[in-house]
Amino acid sequence: MAGSERTKMAAGEWYTCLDPELEALRVMAHDAVFEHNSLPPRQRGDIGPALKSLLGAVGEGARIEAPFHCAYGFNLFLGDGGFLNAGCTILDTAPVRIGKGTLLGPNVQIYCAEHHKEAAGRQEGLEIAKPVEIGDNAWIGGSAIILGGTRIGDGAIVGAGVVVTRDVAANTTVVGNPARPVRRG
């Protein structure tokens, strides 16, 4: 598909991240993140003003603790009462939807960008963006890593330190690397 690298990124096609338009968007996000992370908590509120205006959507009562990092911001959608604890990193090259009442523990990382498998492609900055969706009332334990192209269902629990490489069904608890369901009984 012809078009800008941003258009290709949004369409889930291979794009080059070494693009002036994408770099400018990342700089804008970094400025907003810097403000969020630097403001005194009483001034910042639940989310710093520049970051809040950059995000794709912010539900009522959603909160992001500092420090926080995101790549673009405009691909991050937080449901009502969503909570991201300190140290979360979201590389939102594709949409990241976090449902209402969902809690992310400290240092949770979400990676939507997948780099090219061949060294020459990586040197050219080729990536493909894959979305992440986390349902309502899920709980993501500290230092969990969630890879692009995965969906975590409503009410699911992802244990601390887990690496999520595939979908997690609703109301399921997963542990380990890669994530595996906990057997009941």
Side-chain angles (χ1 to χ4, degrees), residues 150 173 183:
T150 57
T173 298
R183 294 194 176 147

Side-chain angles (χ1 to χ4, degrees), residues 89-102:
T89 296
I90 301 178
L91 302 183
D92 60 324
T93 55
V96 174
R97 299 183 186 285
I98 298 172
K100 66 180 181 182
T102 289

Side-chain angles (χ1 to χ4, degrees), residues 29-79:
H30 294 167
D31 287 345
V33 165
F34 179 81
E35 177 198 71
H36 173 83
N37 291 335
S38 300
L39 283 171
R42 281 185 229 171
Q43 277 185 271
R44 179 180 62 238
D46 289 335
I47 302 173
L51 182 59
K52 189 171 187 175
S53 69
L54 184 65
L55 297 181
V58 178
E60 187 175 330
R63 182 174 181 83
I64 300 175
E65 290 290 341
F68 171 74
H69 178 77
C70 65
Y72 295 99
F74 57 77
N75 276 327
L76 180 54
F77 302 84
L78 301 175

Side-chain angles (χ1 to χ4, degrees), residues 85-124:
N85 211 327
C88 287
T89 296
I90 301 178
L91 302 183
D92 60 324
T93 55
V96 174
R97 299 183 186 285
I98 298 172
K100 66 180 181 182
T102 289
L103 310 174
L104 274 63
N107 301 310
V108 168
Q109 301 168 59
I110 300 174
Y111 306 144
C112 294
E114 182 178 306
H115 299 285
H116 203 274
K117 302 282 188 263
E118 296 181 17
R122 289 191 301 275
Q123 290 172 348
E124 293 173 26

